[in-house]
mmCIF file of all heavy atoms in Angstrom:
data_model
loop_
_atom_site.group_PDB
_atom_site.id
_atom_site.type_symbol
_atom_site.label_atom_id
_atom_site.label_comp_id
_atom_site.label_asym_id
_atom_site.label_seq_id
_atom_site.Cartn_x
_atom_site.Cartn_y
_atom_site.Cartn_z
ATOM 1 N N TRP A 269 -97.463 32.302 132.500
ATOM 2 C CA TRP A 269 -96.995 33.680 132.655
ATOM 3 C C TRP A 269 -95.955 34.031 131.590
ATOM 4 O O TRP A 269 -95.971 35.124 131.026
ATOM 5 C CB TRP A 269 -96.404 33.872 134.055
ATOM 6 C CG TRP A 269 -95.692 35.177 134.243
ATOM 7 C CD1 TRP A 269 -94.373 35.451 133.952
ATOM 8 C CD2 TRP A 269 -96.241 36.409 134.744
ATOM 9 N NE1 TRP A 269 -94.080 36.764 134.252
ATOM 10 C CE2 TRP A 269 -95.209 37.378 134.734
ATOM 11 C CE3 TRP A 269 -97.512 36.777 135.197
ATOM 12 C CZ2 TRP A 269 -95.401 38.682 135.166
ATOM 13 C CZ3 TRP A 269 -97.693 38.089 135.633
ATOM 14 C CH2 TRP A 269 -96.665 39.024 135.610
ATOM 15 N N LEU A 278 -101.444 39.510 129.465
ATOM 16 C CA LEU A 278 -100.769 40.682 130.021
ATOM 17 C C LEU A 278 -100.719 41.824 129.007
ATOM 18 O O LEU A 278 -100.938 42.995 129.345
ATOM 19 C CB LEU A 278 -99.354 40.309 130.454
ATOM 20 C CG LEU A 278 -99.230 39.448 131.721
ATOM 21 C CD1 LEU A 278 -97.818 38.876 131.829
ATOM 22 C CD2 LEU A 278 -99.578 40.254 132.964
ATOM 23 N N LEU A 281 -104.081 43.452 128.655
ATOM 24 C CA LEU A 281 -104.305 44.351 129.789
ATOM 25 C C LEU A 281 -103.588 45.688 129.585
ATOM 26 O O LEU A 281 -104.125 46.759 129.903
ATOM 27 C CB LEU A 281 -103.814 43.692 131.079
ATOM 28 C CG LEU A 281 -104.810 42.838 131.847
ATOM 29 C CD1 LEU A 281 -104.109 42.094 132.974
ATOM 30 C CD2 LEU A 281 -105.936 43.698 132.414
ATOM 31 N N SER A 282 -102.367 45.626 129.052
ATOM 32 C CA SER A 282 -101.642 46.874 128.791
ATOM 33 C C SER A 282 -102.403 47.718 127.776
ATOM 34 O O SER A 282 -102.415 48.951 127.862
ATOM 35 C CB SER A 282 -100.223 46.581 128.292
ATOM 36 O OG SER A 282 -100.225 46.118 126.946
ATOM 37 N N GLY A 283 -103.051 47.054 126.816
ATOM 38 C CA GLY A 283 -103.842 47.774 125.829
ATOM 39 C C GLY A 283 -105.079 48.413 126.422
ATOM 40 O O GLY A 283 -105.500 49.492 125.999
ATOM 41 N N TYR A 285 -105.293 49.742 129.345
ATOM 42 C CA TYR A 285 -104.877 50.976 130.017
ATOM 43 C C TYR A 285 -104.234 51.979 129.062
ATOM 44 O O TYR A 285 -103.988 53.126 129.445
ATOM 45 C CB TYR A 285 -103.952 50.651 131.178
ATOM 46 C CG TYR A 285 -104.726 50.130 132.362
ATOM 47 C CD1 TYR A 285 -104.918 48.765 132.547
ATOM 48 C CD2 TYR A 285 -105.322 50.997 133.272
ATOM 49 C CE1 TYR A 285 -105.661 48.276 133.612
ATOM 50 C CE2 TYR A 285 -106.065 50.526 134.333
ATOM 51 C CZ TYR A 285 -106.234 49.162 134.502
ATOM 52 O OH TYR A 285 -106.988 48.695 135.549
ATOM 53 N N ALA A 286 -103.990 51.571 127.834
ATOM 54 C CA ALA A 286 -103.511 52.521 126.825
ATOM 55 C C ALA A 286 -104.659 53.330 126.239
ATOM 56 O O ALA A 286 -104.430 54.372 125.614
ATOM 57 C CB ALA A 286 -102.775 51.776 125.710
ATOM 58 N N GLU A 305 -93.450 38.431 144.085
ATOM 59 C CA GLU A 305 -93.471 39.892 144.166
ATOM 60 C C GLU A 305 -93.068 40.525 142.837
ATOM 61 O O GLU A 305 -93.645 41.534 142.414
ATOM 62 C CB GLU A 305 -92.527 40.358 145.281
ATOM 63 C CG GLU A 305 -92.568 41.862 145.518
ATOM 64 C CD GLU A 305 -91.698 42.284 146.689
ATOM 65 O OE1 GLU A 305 -91.331 41.403 147.499
ATOM 66 O OE2 GLU A 305 -91.392 43.485 146.790
ATOM 67 N N GLU A 306 -92.100 39.913 142.161
ATOM 68 C CA GLU A 306 -91.650 40.450 140.874
ATOM 69 C C GLU A 306 -92.788 40.451 139.856
ATOM 70 O O GLU A 306 -92.965 41.409 139.094
ATOM 71 C CB GLU A 306 -90.475 39.618 140.357
ATOM 72 C CG GLU A 306 -89.924 40.109 139.013
ATOM 73 C CD GLU A 306 -88.794 39.233 138.502
ATOM 74 O OE1 GLU A 306 -88.270 38.401 139.294
ATOM 75 O OE2 GLU A 306 -88.437 39.370 137.329
ATOM 76 N N LYS A 307 -93.591 39.375 139.851
ATOM 77 C CA LYS A 307 -94.723 39.305 138.924
ATOM 78 C C LYS A 307 -95.800 40.318 139.310
ATOM 79 O O LYS A 307 -96.436 40.924 138.442
ATOM 80 C CB LYS A 307 -95.293 37.887 138.901
ATOM 81 C CG LYS A 307 -94.357 36.863 138.277
ATOM 82 C CD LYS A 307 -94.969 35.480 138.254
ATOM 83 C CE LYS A 307 -94.028 34.483 137.592
ATOM 84 N NZ LYS A 307 -94.588 33.096 137.591
ATOM 85 N N GLN A 308 -96.019 40.490 140.603
ATOM 86 C CA GLN A 308 -96.997 41.480 141.044
ATOM 87 C C GLN A 308 -96.563 42.883 140.622
ATOM 88 O O GLN A 308 -97.405 43.705 140.221
ATOM 89 C CB GLN A 308 -97.193 41.412 142.559
ATOM 90 C CG GLN A 308 -97.854 40.123 143.040
ATOM 91 C CD GLN A 308 -98.297 40.197 144.486
ATOM 92 O OE1 GLN A 308 -98.860 41.186 144.917
ATOM 93 N NE2 GLN A 308 -98.047 39.127 145.240
ATOM 94 N N GLU A 309 -95.272 43.145 140.675
ATOM 95 C CA GLU A 309 -94.772 44.453 140.254
ATOM 96 C C GLU A 309 -94.977 44.656 138.753
ATOM 97 O O GLU A 309 -95.364 45.750 138.312
ATOM 98 C CB GLU A 309 -93.288 44.584 140.614
ATOM 99 C CG GLU A 309 -93.030 44.676 142.113
ATOM 100 C CD GLU A 309 -91.556 44.637 142.451
ATOM 101 O OE1 GLU A 309 -90.730 44.444 141.524
ATOM 102 O OE2 GLU A 309 -91.204 44.805 143.644
ATOM 103 N N THR A 310 -94.729 43.596 137.972
ATOM 104 C CA THR A 310 -94.955 43.694 136.526
ATOM 105 C C THR A 310 -96.434 43.913 136.226
ATOM 106 O O THR A 310 -96.791 44.751 135.389
ATOM 107 C CB THR A 310 -94.460 42.422 135.822
ATOM 108 O OG1 THR A 310 -93.067 42.253 136.049
ATOM 109 C CG2 THR A 310 -94.716 42.495 134.319
ATOM 110 N N LEU A 311 -97.291 43.173 136.920
ATOM 111 C CA LEU A 311 -98.724 43.335 136.712
ATOM 112 C C LEU A 311 -99.177 44.744 137.076
ATOM 113 O O LEU A 311 -100.050 45.325 136.414
ATOM 114 C CB LEU A 311 -99.490 42.294 137.525
ATOM 115 C CG LEU A 311 -101.018 42.253 137.337
ATOM 116 C CD1 LEU A 311 -101.386 42.055 135.869
ATOM 117 C CD2 LEU A 311 -101.627 41.151 138.194
ATOM 118 N N ALA A 312 -98.562 45.315 138.116
ATOM 119 C CA ALA A 312 -98.909 46.682 138.518
ATOM 120 C C ALA A 312 -98.517 47.689 137.437
ATOM 121 O O ALA A 312 -99.203 48.703 137.243
ATOM 122 C CB ALA A 312 -98.228 47.030 139.838
ATOM 123 N N LYS A 313 -97.424 47.419 136.724
ATOM 124 C CA LYS A 313 -97.032 48.288 135.608
ATOM 125 C C LYS A 313 -97.995 48.127 134.436
ATOM 126 O O LYS A 313 -98.346 49.102 133.766
ATOM 127 C CB LYS A 313 -95.607 47.952 135.153
ATOM 128 C CG LYS A 313 -94.520 48.268 136.157
ATOM 129 C CD LYS A 313 -93.166 47.841 135.632
ATOM 130 C CE LYS A 313 -92.070 48.057 136.664
ATOM 131 N NZ LYS A 313 -90.750 47.572 136.159
ATOM 132 N N VAL A 314 -98.397 46.887 134.179
ATOM 133 C CA VAL A 314 -99.297 46.606 133.060
ATOM 134 C C VAL A 314 -100.690 47.172 133.313
ATOM 135 O O VAL A 314 -101.307 47.786 132.435
ATOM 136 C CB VAL A 314 -99.374 45.078 132.818
ATOM 137 C CG1 VAL A 314 -100.469 44.750 131.817
ATOM 138 C CG2 VAL A 314 -98.030 44.544 132.338
ATOM 139 N N ALA A 315 -101.197 46.939 134.521
ATOM 140 C CA ALA A 315 -102.561 47.345 134.872
ATOM 141 C C ALA A 315 -102.498 48.160 136.167
ATOM 142 O O ALA A 315 -102.803 47.651 137.248
ATOM 143 C CB ALA A 315 -103.450 46.113 135.038
ATOM 144 N N PRO A 316 -102.101 49.430 136.085
ATOM 145 C CA PRO A 316 -101.769 50.208 137.290
ATOM 146 C C PRO A 316 -102.936 50.420 138.249
ATOM 147 O O PRO A 316 -102.724 50.569 139.448
ATOM 148 C CB PRO A 316 -101.275 51.541 136.716
ATOM 149 C CG PRO A 316 -101.821 51.604 135.322
ATOM 150 C CD PRO A 316 -101.860 50.200 134.845
ATOM 151 N N ASP A 317 -104.159 50.451 137.751
ATOM 152 C CA ASP A 317 -105.298 50.725 138.630
ATOM 153 C C ASP A 317 -106.148 49.492 138.920
ATOM 154 O O ASP A 317 -107.230 49.606 139.500
ATOM 155 C CB ASP A 317 -106.184 51.816 138.008
ATOM 156 C CG ASP A 317 -105.453 53.151 137.897
ATOM 157 O OD1 ASP A 317 -104.670 53.454 138.810
ATOM 158 O OD2 ASP A 317 -105.663 53.868 136.898
ATOM 159 N N ALA A 318 -105.677 48.327 138.523
ATOM 160 C CA ALA A 318 -106.467 47.113 138.728
ATOM 161 C C ALA A 318 -106.473 46.711 140.206
ATOM 162 O O ALA A 318 -105.466 46.842 140.903
ATOM 163 C CB ALA A 318 -105.910 45.966 137.888
ATOM 164 N N ASN A 445 -92.117 45.503 125.272
ATOM 165 C CA ASN A 445 -90.808 45.352 125.918
ATOM 166 C C ASN A 445 -90.892 45.184 127.425
ATOM 167 O O ASN A 445 -90.103 44.458 128.025
ATOM 168 C CB ASN A 445 -89.927 46.564 125.608
ATOM 169 C CG ASN A 445 -89.410 46.558 124.188
ATOM 170 O OD1 ASN A 445 -89.586 45.578 123.464
ATOM 171 N ND2 ASN A 445 -88.789 47.641 123.777
ATOM 172 N N PHE A 446 -91.848 45.875 128.070
ATOM 173 C CA PHE A 446 -91.826 45.891 129.536
ATOM 174 C C PHE A 446 -92.221 44.548 130.142
ATOM 175 O O PHE A 446 -92.103 44.360 131.344
ATOM 176 C CB PHE A 446 -92.728 46.999 130.088
ATOM 177 C CG PHE A 446 -94.162 46.922 129.629
ATOM 178 C CD1 PHE A 446 -95.058 46.035 130.183
ATOM 179 C CD2 PHE A 446 -94.605 47.771 128.626
ATOM 180 C CE1 PHE A 446 -96.369 45.981 129.754
ATOM 181 C CE2 PHE A 446 -95.916 47.728 128.198
ATOM 182 C CZ PHE A 446 -96.800 46.836 128.765
ATOM 183 N N LEU A 447 -92.657 43.595 129.325
ATOM 184 C CA LEU A 447 -92.973 42.275 129.867
ATOM 185 C C LEU A 447 -91.730 41.411 130.032
ATOM 186 O O LEU A 447 -91.810 40.276 130.476
ATOM 187 C CB LEU A 447 -93.985 41.554 128.973
ATOM 188 C CG LEU A 447 -95.388 42.153 128.951
ATOM 189 C CD1 LEU A 447 -96.321 41.254 128.154
ATOM 190 C CD2 LEU A 447 -95.929 42.334 130.355
ATOM 191 N N SER A 448 -90.586 41.932 129.648
ATOM 192 C CA SER A 448 -89.350 41.152 129.750
ATOM 193 C C SER A 448 -88.792 41.123 131.164
ATOM 194 O O SER A 448 -87.793 40.474 131.424
ATOM 195 C CB SER A 448 -88.291 41.729 128.807
ATOM 196 O OG SER A 448 -87.942 43.045 129.209
ATOM 197 N N GLY A 449 -89.456 41.831 132.088
ATOM 198 C CA GLY A 449 -88.940 41.904 133.447
ATOM 199 C C GLY A 449 -87.879 42.981 133.590
ATOM 200 O O GLY A 449 -87.228 43.113 134.609
ATOM 201 N N GLY A 450 -87.691 43.729 132.555
ATOM 202 C CA GLY A 450 -86.721 44.826 132.544
ATOM 203 C C GLY A 450 -86.605 45.337 131.129
ATOM 204 O O GLY A 450 -87.110 44.735 130.195
ATOM 205 N N GLN A 451 -85.944 46.442 130.925
ATOM 206 C CA GLN A 451 -85.804 46.997 129.587
ATOM 207 C C GLN A 451 -84.863 46.128 128.764
ATOM 208 O O GLN A 451 -83.795 45.726 129.218
ATOM 209 C CB GLN A 451 -85.278 48.434 129.673
ATOM 210 C CG GLN A 451 -86.283 49.406 130.268
ATOM 211 C CD GLN A 451 -87.555 49.491 129.449
ATOM 212 O OE1 GLN A 451 -87.513 49.546 128.232
ATOM 213 N NE2 GLN A 451 -88.693 49.493 130.130
#
Side-chain angles (χ1 to χ4, degrees):
W269 170 273
L278 287 166
L281 271 171
S282 74
Y285 283 93
E305 185 176 343
E306 180 182 347
K307 292 181 178 178
Q308 293 192 44
E309 291 173 355
T310 300
L311 185 56
K313 293 177 184 177
V314 171
D317 296 324
N445 286 352
F446 57 78
L447 292 186
S448 64
Q451 291 299 317

